[in-house]
Amino acid sequence: MYKDFPSLSPENEKELVEKLSHWALANGLVMYPPQWQLHSASNAPITMFPTPFPRDLFENAMKVQTVFNELYANVVSHEKVWLVDLIKSLAKFDKDFTGKLYETYVKAVEQSGGTLPQPLSLGVFRSDYMYNQTDHSVKQIEFNTVSISFGGLSTKVGKAQNYLNDSGAYDDNYSLKYYPSDDIPVSESIAKIADGLAAGNYFYNDENDNKKTVVLFVVQPGERNCFDQRLVEYALLEKHGIKSYRSTLEEIKEKTTINSGKLYIKATMDEVSVVYYRSGYAPSDYSMDPEKTWDARLHLELSKAIKCPSLLTQLSGSKKIQQVLTDPEIVKAFLKDSSPEEIDLLLSTFVKIHPLDDTEAGKKAKRLAFDEPQKFVLKPQREGGGNNVYKEDIPGHLKSLDESEWGAYVLMELIHPPTHKNKLIKEGQIYHEDIVSELGIFGTIVFNEETGEIKSNENAGFLLRSKFSSSDEGGVAAGFGCVDSVYLY
Ligand code: ADP
Ligand code: MG
């Protein structure tokens, strides 16, 4: 069993909030507020205390990450034809986004004469889970292959909570440590994601630690979560001596140029080894200037820089692919080099995900969606929160569409996480409410999309995000949730 959250007198809680707010501002556990000015940031929404999470399941999720990395790398390389076929059929349902990503991929292949100029690919992935209390397991919510965030703030929130614990702020009477330090680990995600980018740089340079080539961060204009990204940039420079630049998709053509296939920053003629996307995952990233932004995407794909992720790797993160991969036979066929134990562990994280197409399984799922909607969440092919339809809203939503459009969705069994009455601090306000938590595990992998060779494959730390159990969605930047850390029991 686990200890309850610390119970503090009003004076001690007030002091804790002051300590936490100062720590956050002093150490970069921050975001820009909605109406931001360059010079002033505010505390990121965080929990006051770490939230309990079962240690054995946390360890399983950490252990299985490199197997997931490999699964998706294999889908993109060894199973490329299978993947491209699936994406092609998916593109028909979602012309404006999946369709455009696919079309840009096809164009890039055509314009480079059948083979893309850079076979190496970098994945910075995050597998998201919830603790399913009913059968004491961790279950996967989704596998993210593009623009995963909070690797920066996750390390910081773990350190902040350790500081509070070490400084006695969690003990109401004696200023003792409330939690044994081993029970509240700090995520190494800042360092590990930077290591992943450095690995991309190393393999770009034929296995040389070249510090002259740089990493290009492709970011959203006016990004409020830019400190999360900056923390990784600082680690990349401090630990590896590798510089980075930032550009929005809109600015790519002004700021970069391709010479003999190589990508350069125009202003300095620094050669780019890795293009790291922290944008480009949602339709809104292209909607301001579709022509320019899609053209920028094509331009980058046609360069020799390693993409994190390539268009195809991004597409492998589609919810539809996740659904197809819940089939154990397919997983076994795609993970030929993994042990039965690794495969079993991976499979144990799946809940049922059904297609809603014309196959037998699809027809069955269509009946389920109307007969037992309370067991499911309906998901379209979109990233970034706010797109899902839950439970009783599913039948009405489906009825509002033509049945031919249902194939764009997958129907996923709901996971049942426990709630915890932690305290959240958001914009100076304290909330004492039931929360549910989502565990994210980061991973990085460098692989060859042509040969399937895996050059490096690492676990890259973890993230806990929590939100009011009354809200269905968990996006932190989108304003629903907050950054948390684990108390392992
Ligand atoms: P997105 O790509 O928008 O992040 P997700 O698949 O992560 O989509 O779903 C968004 C949120 O919906 C999750 O953070 C989680 O809170 C909730 N959710 C998604 N799938 C499930 C599920 N199977 N059971 C319970 N909650 C879910
Ligand atoms: Mg998600």
Side-chain angles (χ1 to χ4, degrees), residues 126 128 141-142 144 383 438 465:
R126 198 186 69 217
D128 290 337
I141 292 193
E142 64 163 341
N144 301 282
E383 297 302 319
E438 187 169 331
R465 274 175 307 168

Short mmCIF file of all heavy atoms in Angstrom, two decimals, residues 126 128 141-142 144 383 438 465, ligand 2:
data_model
loop_
_atom_site.label_atom_id
_atom_site.label_comp_id
_atom_site.label_asym_id
_atom_site.label_seq_id
_atom_site.Cartn_x
_atom_site.Cartn_y
_atom_site.Cartn_z
N ARG A 126 7.09 8.55 -27.55
CA ARG A 126 6.56 8.45 -26.20
C ARG A 126 5.34 7.55 -26.20
O ARG A 126 4.41 7.77 -26.96
CB ARG A 126 6.18 9.83 -25.63
CG ARG A 126 6.05 9.83 -24.09
CD ARG A 126 5.52 11.17 -23.56
NE ARG A 126 4.14 11.31 -23.95
CZ ARG A 126 3.57 12.47 -24.30
NH1 ARG A 126 4.26 13.58 -24.30
NH2 ARG A 126 2.31 12.51 -24.66
N ASP A 128 2.22 6.26 -24.15
CA ASP A 128 1.39 6.74 -23.03
C ASP A 128 0.51 5.63 -22.46
O ASP A 128 -0.09 4.87 -23.23
CB ASP A 128 0.50 7.90 -23.48
CG ASP A 128 1.28 9.17 -23.78
OD1 ASP A 128 2.40 9.31 -23.23
OD2 ASP A 128 0.78 10.01 -24.55
N ILE A 141 -2.39 3.95 -24.02
CA ILE A 141 -3.38 4.85 -24.59
C ILE A 141 -3.03 5.13 -26.04
O ILE A 141 -3.85 4.98 -26.93
CB ILE A 141 -3.44 6.16 -23.79
CG1 ILE A 141 -4.01 5.83 -22.42
CG2 ILE A 141 -4.26 7.21 -24.51
CD1 ILE A 141 -4.42 6.98 -21.62
N GLU A 142 -1.81 5.55 -26.25
CA GLU A 142 -1.38 5.75 -27.64
C GLU A 142 0.14 5.76 -27.70
O GLU A 142 0.83 5.93 -26.68
CB GLU A 142 -1.93 7.06 -28.21
CG GLU A 142 -1.42 8.30 -27.51
CD GLU A 142 -1.62 9.58 -28.31
OE1 GLU A 142 -1.83 9.54 -29.53
OE2 GLU A 142 -1.52 10.65 -27.69
N ASN A 144 3.15 7.77 -29.52
CA ASN A 144 3.39 9.03 -30.23
C ASN A 144 4.73 8.99 -30.94
O ASN A 144 5.75 8.69 -30.31
CB ASN A 144 3.41 10.20 -29.24
CG ASN A 144 2.10 10.32 -28.47
OD1 ASN A 144 1.12 10.82 -28.98
ND2 ASN A 144 2.09 9.82 -27.23
N GLU A 383 -3.84 14.11 -33.67
CA GLU A 383 -2.97 14.20 -32.50
C GLU A 383 -3.27 15.48 -31.75
O GLU A 383 -3.80 16.43 -32.31
CB GLU A 383 -1.50 14.27 -32.95
CG GLU A 383 -1.00 13.05 -33.67
CD GLU A 383 -1.13 11.80 -32.86
OE1 GLU A 383 -0.85 11.86 -31.64
OE2 GLU A 383 -1.54 10.77 -33.40
N GLU A 438 -1.70 9.91 -16.32
CA GLU A 438 -1.26 9.21 -17.53
C GLU A 438 0.26 9.17 -17.51
O GLU A 438 0.90 10.21 -17.40
CB GLU A 438 -1.80 9.98 -18.73
CG GLU A 438 -1.60 9.32 -20.05
CD GLU A 438 -2.40 10.04 -21.18
OE1 GLU A 438 -3.46 10.64 -20.90
OE2 GLU A 438 -1.93 10.00 -22.32
N ARG A 465 1.40 12.88 -16.34
CA ARG A 465 0.49 14.02 -16.49
C ARG A 465 -0.79 13.70 -15.76
O ARG A 465 -1.29 12.58 -15.86
CB ARG A 465 0.16 14.27 -17.96
CG ARG A 465 1.15 15.13 -18.69
CD ARG A 465 0.80 15.22 -20.16
NE ARG A 465 0.67 13.88 -20.73
CZ ARG A 465 0.17 13.62 -21.93
NH1 ARG A 465 -0.30 14.59 -22.67
NH2 ARG A 465 0.10 12.39 -22.38
MG MG B 2 -2.30 11.65 -26.19
#
